[in-house]
Each structure stands twice: as C-alpha cells, then as structure tokens.
Amino acid sequence: MTCQFRCGNACAHEPGNDSGNTYFGDVVAQAMSRRGVLRAGALGALVAGTGVAGAVGAAPALADPAGPEEAALRGGGRSNLRFTPVPPNTDDALRVPGGYTSSVVVRWGDPVLPDAPEFDFDKQSAEAQAKQFGYNCDYVTLFPMGRDRGLLWVNHEYTTEALMFRGYQGGGTATEEQIKIAMAAHGGSVVEVERVKGTGEWKLVTSGRRRYNRRITVHTPMRFTGPAAGSDLLKTAADPSGTKPVGMLNNCAGGTTPWGTVLTAEENFDQYFVNGDKVPEAQRPYIARYTIPSGTSSSSRRFDRVEERFDLAKHPNEVNRFGWIVEIDPFDPDSTPVKRTALGRFKHEAATTTVAPDGRLVVYMGDDSRFEYVYKFVSKDRYRPGNDRHNRRLLDEGTLYAARFTGDSPAAELDGSGKLPSDGAFDGSGTWIPLVSGDRSYVEGMTAAEVLVYTRAAADRAGRSTADKIGPTKMDRPEDVERNPVTGAVYIALTNNSNRTAAQVDEANPRASNKHGHVLELVERRGDPTELTFAWSLPLVCGDPKDASTYFAGFDKSKVSPISCPDNLAFDRDGNLWISTDGNALGGNDGLFAMPVRGGERGYLRQFLSVPVGAETCGPMVTQDQRSVFVAVQHPGEVDGASPDSPASRWPDGGQPRPAVAVVWHAEGRKIGS
Ligand code: FEO
Ligand code: CA
Ligand code: CA
Ligand code: CA
C-alpha cells in the first residue's frame, strides 16, 4: 500500500536512469534580524536537528589526508548517549526508552486555522481539510519564539486514500469530493506550539488568534524565481508568464535557511499526472527520466478528473512546475511561497543549508530514486547576517553540482556481498561536477533552463564535459543529507536499492540487492563546503548486525541495534547522528536511532524509539536545548489489505489511524538520549 500511494509503485517500473553513467566510479545562524525579537534566539538558541544547526557557519577543518574514518576516530572517548535501546518490535504503539514519555502534538484533521471545524472522519470535506492539519506528515522543524513558544512547520507528503475513505477503490471511481480532500491534505502546515512549563513536552496552541497558523495545499499560489523562471518550459495556458505555479506536491523532507525560512522538497510529483506518453515528442525523453505515468490508471489519484492541468495531453508543461525546492516564510502567513529554480528539478528529498567560511551559502540535496545523484548548490554571493532582502536572492544565483564518488580499493575486491575490501573500509575521494551556473550551462547540448528543468537528464550528460568523461555516480536512493554542526562532515542516507546487481556495485554503493541501505560520510576538502573535492567513507552499512554484510564503523556488532532503510537524518548539538527509518526490511516496525560519529563509540548505534504498525518515522528534530525530540509518525496502519473497516493500526487515539507529529522527552529533563 505504501508503494502505491507514496510513489505510484515506482519500484515496479524500470528506474528512470538508463544513462550510460558509470556505476563503478571509478554563524550559528545569526539571530534573525528582520523579525529580530521573534526570531532572535530563534534559530540560535533552541533549534538543532534537521534544521538550523545545519546552517552553522564555518566548521572546523576536518579534511584529512588520512580520510574521514581515521580523522573522526581521533579525540573523544565515550559519547554522552546512555539510553537503553528499544528492542525491535511490531507493537501498535510509539515505544520509547525507560524514563522517557511521548505525546501527540498534532494529528491529521486537527484544526490549524482558527475557524477550522473539528475533525470528523465520516464527514470530511475538502473545505474542512484545507483548514485542518494535512495527511502523512514528513519534515518537521521548530522555529522558536522565545523559550516556550514556537512555530512548527510540517510537510504533508502524500495521502493514503484507502485509509482516509471507506470503500475507496482508486481515483478512477473516487468521488470528486474525495479527490479534492486529498488535494487539500497535501502541502504543509504552520502551527503555533507551546512548551508545557518546565518540561520537554510541547502542545498545540488551540485558542487565541494563532496569527501564524497556515495551510499550504495544491492550490496555494506560488512563484518561480531563478534562472529558469519565465522560461518556455514553465509556461502554461493558465500562466503564460511561466512565473506563477500553483501548489506543491509530495513534499518530503526539507531544511531551513539562516534567515529563518523553510525549504521544502517536492519529491514524487510524477504520480499525480496522467498521459505522460502524450506530451510532445521532444519532451518525451526528459519526461521519461521522471517516470511520469502513461495513460490514465484508475488506481492512481486522478487529480485530472477535477483539474485539467494534471492531464499532460492537454497541459504538457504543468508537470515541469513541480519537483522543486520551495521556500516558505513561516513568520509571514501572507507571503507567497517561492519555487527556487536555481536548485534544479528532481525528486527532491531534502535541502540542508550551511554557510561556508567565505560567506557563500551551500545547499546539499538528494534525489530519492534508485540510481540517482547527490547534488549541491553554491551561491554566487555571500550571506549577510541581518540583510534578509539580500540573503533571499542567494538561492537564485549560483552553481549546481552533482557528486561523483570514486573508490580507493580495486574493483576486484568489491563482489557485491558487502565484504570490506582489504584496506578495511568502503571509502575514497570524490568531485563535484558543475551542471549550470546562472545562465551558463556546463552540459553539452542543453541550455541553462533545460539543465534546471530537466536536471536528471543534465546530470546524465555531465560526464561528456569532464576531462575523463566520467559523470556523477548513480547512488542507492539518496535521501536526506545533513551536516554535523560539530565536525562539519556531511552525511547522506542511502535508503536501499534492491535493483543494484553485483555487476553494478561500486565502493560507494557496495552491496548488490541492497535491501537495508547505508550511510555515507563526506568530508569536503579543508572542511570547506564550497570546495569541489572531498573524501568519503561508509560508517554504517545497515541490516541485522548478525548479517556479515553490515558494518557499524568497526564498533562491536554484538552491542548495536538492527537498522534497515535509513531515511531522514538529524544531529543533536553534541554532534550525535539521529537516523529515522522508512521500510524496515527486517520485519520490525520503523524507528529512530542514535549513533555517535566521533570517539570510541563511533558506530555504537542504538534504537531510541519505534513507531506503530505500518508507519515510518520522519522528522526527526532534536531541539537546540536537547530536551525534546520531535518525530513525524507517517502513514500508521498503511498495510496491504487494511481499510477504515479493518484498520491495521489504531494509533494514536484508538480509532482510525491518524498520521501525527509526536514529541518525546525525559521525565527528569535529561538531554535526549543521555
Ligand atoms: Fe519521501 Fe524519499 O522519502
Ligand atoms: Ca577502500
Ligand atoms: Ca524521506
Ligand atoms: Ca520516507
């Protein structure tokens, strides 16, 4: 069921990437000025996790000729993580370690706008849904307003209609109202939250003006900026200017900017469109790279039945208006969200910003499909603390790169089994290959606008202009990318790729039929995120620790938790890596795990929580004071055959399952995990 609703059964189709690209490859965010008081402290004082900690300024130089593995092992003994791990389980509950408590902050259907009606499962309407918390929450970040108040931003990635509506048989036979409810349940929410005094618990503010509360949906007016804005590829009948897209789709993970806005990532946007085979001939190869469905399948959502723009036979460019990084200002409920074309168009998973030592802004991004690439964007101009107007243009002008990972062990030592090569590590070096810089394309045969709108195809061809003709590396589903605020090293979750064959393994993707995924650590030269070369290694190769193909940075495997399918990453302020999982292929529920990446406990991975039946764990976000961790419990009860009349989960309220954001804290106020 997850496969059908989340990504339109992407795994059942051929991967989009059939390019010849090689498989073997061989400031603490200055307190916000403009809305100063509001945000002061904001980003500096409280938030860590996936968000603003990523925007920390110059990190200590870590790049080391010895490579990241050795460098990271130096210094530090035990970590400060002390919790007793949650054992693998299949309970229909949110399980946390002893001493910790959890509560639901906000769930599907909870009123967001002050005039929203209370949720009624059997009487849901599109009008109500557009004012209530959306479905399948994913990225979560908190913008503090002082110590005990804040704005929570949450993505609503997709809808699971089979659990939302009784008797649902697919978009072909759904009522128009059901389709409109689904549209309104996508997008994102801003909700005001408050701390329960003296604890790590946060609650939804349910009374008063709640002036920041906002819903973004498929119908929110947006605008394009950057080099591709206004290009012919983005023009439609409804918008001949090519600058005014409407709505966002499948927003998965995200990031924040140093100036206090959200970057939210449109991921599997393809599945909302029909008749991908009926676009003009010239567009077809590019469309194919995004696996847009052909014809009209009655099991798909069929948004085209209520809005013609989703029918590509009639509006072929509409699909080009999705698949972007969208910037949203949570502090201005009247602001127009901005699709930043300079960051390229692919199945964006996340966008993590960091300010380089010279002040340029860098954004790391993954493209989550099998055999896709890792990207980064480096701004042309420099971040100027306090100058929002200037800073917001940083995301419109700069250079977009794709990553190439080269191993340092002989190909003969990589047999696809996961056995470590004789040098004891999956590791090597890499380069960032430029694709486009402003109006200048580095890709043969493609204009700058084409590179930005058809970024996957551009990355496929990028090798044509490198000295050795080798392009970026096809990865095992690059999901979240996060930068360690303590060391500056960058971590990439590679969630899985059961389609990789033994002939296709490389040192950065060393397992054939990679069911459980791995985590890659990337250390930019001199620790400077604007540099174009790096060292990398795999500190974590996931699975059951009893499985010889797993690796936990050399730590004693008898002590670690099993882990499968790393998806979202976050760091706490002490530099511990937090990993949430999606699609546990070991039989247990998904969860949240913590792992030190430095010192003697590097690789000592433990499960911190598990989510209910059928759910994946998203978010996660450890607050800057480390007293709370937020997680999004996405698609509880999403199990084949489940329905409202036969639910597989009754989380969180004992009735129908409802995707929700939860918060976890320690009863005695300890730092999370310590
Ligand atoms: Fe929406 Fe790639 O997870
Ligand atoms: Ca090696
Ligand atoms: Ca994800
Ligand atoms: Ca996911």
Side-chain angles (χ1 to χ4, degrees), residues 6 138 157 250 252 267-268 349 368 477 479 567 582:
R6 186 188 18 231
D138 199 301
E157 185 181 18
N250 212 262
C252 188
E267 193 191 12
N268 296 303
E349 174 73 21
D368 178 16
R477 293 188 53 196
E479 296 231 41
D567 185 336
D582 172 12

Side-chain angles (χ1 to χ4, degrees), residues 435-456:
L435 305 178
V436 61
S437 191
D439 290 333
R440 181 179 172 198
S441 165
Y442 294 102
V443 179
E444 241 177 72
M446 291 178 82
T447 64
E450 285 170 337
V451 171
L452 294 171
V453 177
Y454 301 130
T455 307
R456 282 183 166 182

Side-chain angles (χ1 to χ4, degrees), residues 267-547:
E267 193 191 12
N268 296 303
F269 60 89
D270 52 305
Q271 55 178 316
Y272 301 92
F273 292 87
V274 300
N275 289 326
D277 50 332
K278 301 201 176 57
V279 301
E281 192 70 41
Q283 203 179 331
R284 279 183 210 168
Y286 298 116
I287 286 273
R289 277 300 272 111
Y290 296 99
T291 59
I292 312 290
S294 297
T296 55
S297 156
S298 63
S299 65
S300 71
R301 287 191 186 79
R302 296 300 306 274
F303 282 6
D304 62 295
R305 286 184 51 218
V306 298
E307 271 179 57
E308 194 184 85
R309 65 178 171 135
F310 292 101
D311 182 350
L312 298 179
K314 293 173 181 150
H315 302 282
N317 279 354
E318 185 63 28
V319 71
N320 294 346
R321 291 150 68 89
F322 294 88
W324 300 98
I325 293 292
V326 189
E327 182 178 6
I328 298 175
D329 184 348
F331 290 93
D332 181 358
D334 300 319
S335 60
T336 303
V338 183
K339 296 196 173 187
R340 299 280 182 194
T341 67
L343 301 180
R345 175 171 167 265
F346 38 92
K347 294 191 183 180
H348 279 286
E349 174 73 21
T352 294
T353 65
T354 188
V355 179
D358 70 359
R360 283 184 287 168
L361 187 78
V362 177
V363 188
Y364 291 98
M365 300 174 284
D367 180 353
D368 178 16
S369 293
R370 291 166 291 159
F371 302 115
E372 293 300 340
Y373 310 116
V374 174
Y375 296 85
K376 84 170 172 184
F377 170 84
V378 181
S379 70
K380 176 166 166 281
D381 290 329
R382 290 160 196 207
Y383 174 63
R384 290 191 206 146
N387 189 340
D388 274 17
R389 250 182 97 152
H390 165 84
N391 292 333
R392 288 184 186 214
R393 288 197 299 269
L394 294 177
L395 294 172
D396 289 334
E397 211 176 340
T399 306
L400 184 65
Y401 301 88
R404 170 176 146 190
F405 297 86
T406 307
D408 68 359
S409 293
E413 294 185 9
L414 303 166
D415 60 6
S417 71
K419 183 170 165 240
L420 287 172
S422 58
D423 68 353
F426 296 118
D427 61 349
S429 57
T431 53
W432 292 102
I433 302 172
L435 305 178
V436 61
S437 191
D439 290 333
R440 181 179 172 198
S441 165
Y442 294 102
V443 179
E444 241 177 72
M446 291 178 82
T447 64
E450 285 170 337
V451 171
L452 294 171
V453 177
Y454 301 130
T455 307
R456 282 183 166 182
D460 294 344
R461 296 181 193 185
R464 294 182 192 177
S465 30
T466 57
D468 55 10
K469 303 293 176 204
I470 297 177
T473 305
K474 294 173 170 179
M475 309 298 285
D476 285 351
R477 293 188 53 196
E479 296 231 41
D480 206 353
V481 185
E482 292 293 332
R483 188 165 187 247
N484 187 326
V486 174
T487 67
V490 173
Y491 294 77
I492 303 166
L494 297 152
T495 211
N496 61 42
N497 183 353
S498 49
N499 280 31
R500 189 177 289 273
T501 65
Q504 292 171 329
V505 297
D506 56 49
E507 200 162 341
N509 302 278
R511 280 192 302 194
S513 189
N514 182 9
K515 286 201 289 281
H516 303 299
H518 52 283
V519 173
L520 187 146
E521 179 181 69
L522 184 159
V523 178
E524 302 274 23
R525 194 166 96 93
R526 297 198 303 246
D528 180 345
T530 66
E531 286 283 349
L532 300 185
T533 58
F534 54 84
W536 64 268
S537 72
L538 304 187
L540 179 61
V541 182
C542 301
D544 184 331
K546 294 192 190 87
D547 170 351

Side-chain angles (χ1 to χ4, degrees), residues 59-126:
L62 216 175
D64 187 302
E69 188 92 358
E70 289 93 320
L73 280 167
R74 294 200 196 116
R78 285 185 70 185
S79 79
N80 60 352
L81 296 177
R82 296 280 187 277
F83 65 94
T84 304
V86 167
N89 67 78
T90 54
D91 301 343
D92 189 31
L94 184 70
R95 295 273 182 238
V96 294
Y100 289 85
T101 311
S102 73
S103 72
V104 169
V105 181
V106 54
R107 55 175 84 56
W108 171 45
D110 282 346
V112 170
L113 302 187
D115 63 340
E118 288 300 320
F119 179 68
D120 184 337
F121 182 86
D122 285 301
K123 289 189 188 142
Q124 184 62 316
S125 70

